[in-house]
Amino acid sequence: RLLSSEKVSDKNHSLPKPCWGKDMRLLFDQFMKKCEDGSWIHLPSYEYIATQRSQDFPTFIHASELINKEKLSQGRLFTKSFEDGLGFEYVMFYNDAEKRIVCVFQGGPHLQGMPGFFHGGAIATMIDATVGMNAIVSGGIVMTANLNINFKRPIPLCSIVLINSQLDKIEGRKLLVSCNVQSVDEKILYTEATSLFVKLNPEKEFD
Amino acid sequence: RLLSSEKVSDKNHSLPKPCWGKDMRLLFDQFMKKCEDGSWIHLPSYEYIATQRSQDFPTFIHASELINKEKLSQGRLFTKSFEDGLGFEYVMFYNDAEKRIVCVFQGGPHLQGMPGFFHGGAIATMIDATVGMNAIVSGGIVMTANLNINFKRPIPLCSIVLINSQLDKIEGRKLLVSCNVQSVDEKILYTEATSLFVKLNPEKEFD
């Protein structure tokens, strides 16, 4: 089973690091506690899953061959391309019965937009990663078709926040997932979003 | 005048670099040619404008004081926090009569999502930066309130693409801006988006 903890290898980036803040560690410990009875699952990093799954999709590799091979070999997952603590630090937990994911996200100083606050694109990235993971665990290989984000309040730079994602509906190849971004004490609602994912057809090529 | 070329200092990152690909340089030259009669303006980098404008908004600085000072001093604009060629390379041109911006964007290998393609969050980031700039040149200090993105086709990693942004409407403090992302030859429509920006009230504090 893809999500079983036995499959978590040393490639897993979703384990505590020295750069994690106090609230990040506290929340990690709280959710790990919830994992003990099996109701929640601690997800390995997205990069790990992507690598595993892409082996099953040779058509992606084929499409990628059109791209400069040298550049492609430098390819790094966007959310993992920062030094520890400067970019995206996050850990996701999945509740299968409720079809939802909670992502604990600590954004670093290199994610700045307006001085002192996160860039809207950085928030969009973490939302896409979280709702995308919720779609992947339910639908396998999927692609984001729509992302509709309401930014209600700017998020101070270097904050730790909770991203609560929920699978709302599956209609054929379409998966609808919504989420919100809240402060750790759940008193501030920063952002709300809805998204649409489409399961990919392995026969179809993009290029 | 904020946008006059005299104001472009050595902080301006939107000038050709060795890492720019052939199409990026060709498009840069074509648009610089269009700037000669004054119909188009070569925009300095977003970071530069943000720095200039933030001096007028002491309330932002006040809000930022709640954040760890040391971390804040490491703050870097998200789109400028990668080494040359690995992340976001872009240059924007503004047409005042038509209230539109064209952004020539070359994404590097560290913006990967699905293997061989850009991360949806990286595309969202570049869209936010472009439509945001279109709102800024029309409305001053603004904040993204909504971003609604339709991803029609995945964009191969390391592509150079055109982001065409258009101010559609101003209603009081609201600005509506739409955009699309196309291949350099304009034959492939990758992404479409609409956005809503709100002019900030300097009196209002977030925290």
Side-chain angles (χ1 to χ4, degrees):
Chain A
R1 233 184 81 124
L2 178 72
L3 296 175
S4 75
S5 52
E6 293 81 42
K7 287 261 178 104
V8 178
S9 76
D10 54 5
K11 283 184 185 175
N12 183 10
H13 296 270
S14 64
L15 294 170
K17 300 178 192 178
C19 63
W20 284 16
K22 201 187 76 179
D23 283 344
M24 183 94 175
R25 284 172 167 273
L26 276 174
L27 285 159
F28 177 81
D29 291 341
Q30 282 173 20
F31 274 96
M32 287 306 279
K33 197 99 190 149
K34 290 185 187 178
C35 290
E36 286 173 7
D37 68 3
S39 59
W40 287 82
I41 295 165
H42 172 216
L43 292 177
S45 84
Y46 184 84
E47 189 166 32
Y48 176 67
I49 285 188
T51 308
Q52 293 293 308
R53 288 284 179 105
S54 67
Q55 292 166 354
D56 308 329
F57 275 69
T59 50
F60 286 166
I61 311 304
H62 181 81
S64 305
E65 279 176 8
L66 297 169
I67 308 162
N68 182 310
K69 289 257 190 204
E70 192 197 321
K71 281 189 179 170
L72 203 64
S73 70
Q74 294 180 279
R76 283 179 69 174
L77 184 66
F78 184 38
T79 54
K80 302 285 181 198
S81 61
F82 291 80
E83 281 178 46
D84 277 4
L86 296 182
F88 301 93
E89 296 295 334
Y90 59 95
V91 53
M92 295 186 197
F93 295 89
Y94 176 60
N95 184 312
D96 189 53
E98 298 173 7
K99 303 292 178 205
R100 69 190 186 97
I101 282 179
V102 172
C103 173
V104 187
F105 166 49
Q106 173 183 314
H110 285 198
L111 307 185
Q112 184 167 252
M114 197 163 64
F117 297 93
F118 285 138
H119 195 288
I123 301 167
T125 299
M126 213 52 239
I127 285 175
D128 187 37
T130 305
V131 292
M133 181 59 92
N134 211 337
I136 284 170
V137 295
S138 306
I141 296 278
V142 297
M143 202 179 76
T144 319
N146 176 266
L147 201 55
N148 190 352
I149 306 175
N150 285 311
F151 299 92
K152 295 182 169 291
R153 285 171 73 90
I155 308 179
L157 198 65
C158 302
S159 293
I160 295 165
V161 295
L162 289 171
I163 305 175
N164 302 290
S165 160
Q166 172 75 55
L167 175 72
D168 294 323
K169 205 188 264 189
I170 299 183
E171 292 175 344
R173 286 174 55 215
K174 294 180 183 175
L175 295 100
L176 291 123
V177 186
S178 60
C179 83
N180 65 48
V181 183
Q182 293 186 328
S183 58
V184 166
D185 62 8
E186 298 187 335
K187 286 185 181 163
I188 304 172
L189 174 62
Y190 289 116
T191 317
E192 285 181 318
T194 59
S195 64
L196 169 65
F197 288 84
V198 179
K199 288 189 205 185
L200 290 185
N201 182 347
E203 303 304 315
K204 194 184 163 194
E205 293 190 19
F206 299 115
D207 295 84
Chain B
R1 235 185 79 120
L2 178 72
L3 296 175
S4 75
S5 53
E6 293 81 42
K7 286 261 178 103
V8 178
S9 75
D10 54 4
K11 283 184 184 174
N12 182 10
H13 296 271
S14 65
L15 294 169
K17 301 178 192 177
C19 63
W20 284 16
K22 201 187 76 179
D23 283 344
M24 183 94 175
R25 284 171 167 274
L26 276 174
L27 285 160
F28 177 82
D29 291 340
Q30 282 172 20
F31 274 97
M32 286 306 278
K33 197 98 191 152
K34 290 185 188 179
C35 291
E36 286 173 7
D37 69 1
S39 58
W40 287 83
I41 295 165
H42 172 216
L43 292 176
S45 84
Y46 184 84
E47 189 166 33
Y48 176 66
I49 286 188
T51 308
Q52 293 293 309
R53 288 285 180 103
S54 67
Q55 292 166 355
D56 307 329
F57 275 68
T59 50
F60 285 167
I61 309 305
H62 181 81
S64 306
E65 279 175 9
L66 298 169
I67 308 162
N68 182 310
K69 289 256 189 204
E70 190 197 322
K71 280 189 179 171
L72 202 64
S73 70
Q74 294 180 277
R76 283 180 68 176
L77 184 66
F78 185 37
T79 55
K80 303 286 181 199
S81 60
F82 291 80
E83 280 177 46
D84 277 2
L86 295 182
F88 301 93
E89 297 295 335
Y90 59 96
V91 53
M92 295 186 196
F93 295 90
Y94 175 60
N95 185 312
D96 189 53
E98 298 174 7
K99 304 291 178 205
R100 68 189 186 98
I101 283 179
V102 172
C103 173
V104 188
F105 166 50
Q106 174 183 313
H110 285 198
L111 308 185
Q112 185 168 252
M114 196 164 62
F117 297 93
F118 285 137
H119 194 288
I123 300 166
T125 298
M126 213 51 240
I127 285 176
D128 187 37
T130 306
V131 292
M133 181 59 92
N134 212 338
I136 284 170
V137 295
S138 307
I141 296 278
V142 297
M143 202 180 77
T144 319
N146 176 265
L147 200 55
N148 191 352
I149 306 174
N150 286 312
F151 299 92
K152 295 182 169 291
R153 285 172 73 90
I155 307 179
L157 198 64
C158 302
S159 293
I160 295 165
V161 295
L162 288 171
I163 305 175
N164 302 290
S165 160
Q166 172 75 54
L167 175 71
D168 293 324
K169 204 189 263 189
I170 300 183
E171 291 176 345
R173 286 173 55 215
K174 293 180 182 175
L175 294 100
L176 291 122
V177 187
S178 60
C179 83
N180 65 48
V181 184
Q182 293 185 328
S183 58
V184 166
D185 63 8
E186 299 187 334
K187 285 183 180 164
I188 305 172
L189 174 63
Y190 289 117
T191 316
E192 284 180 320
T194 59
S195 64
L196 169 65
F197 288 85
V198 179
K199 288 189 205 186
L200 290 186
N201 181 349
E203 302 304 314
K204 194 184 164 193
E205 293 190 18
F206 300 114
D207 293 84

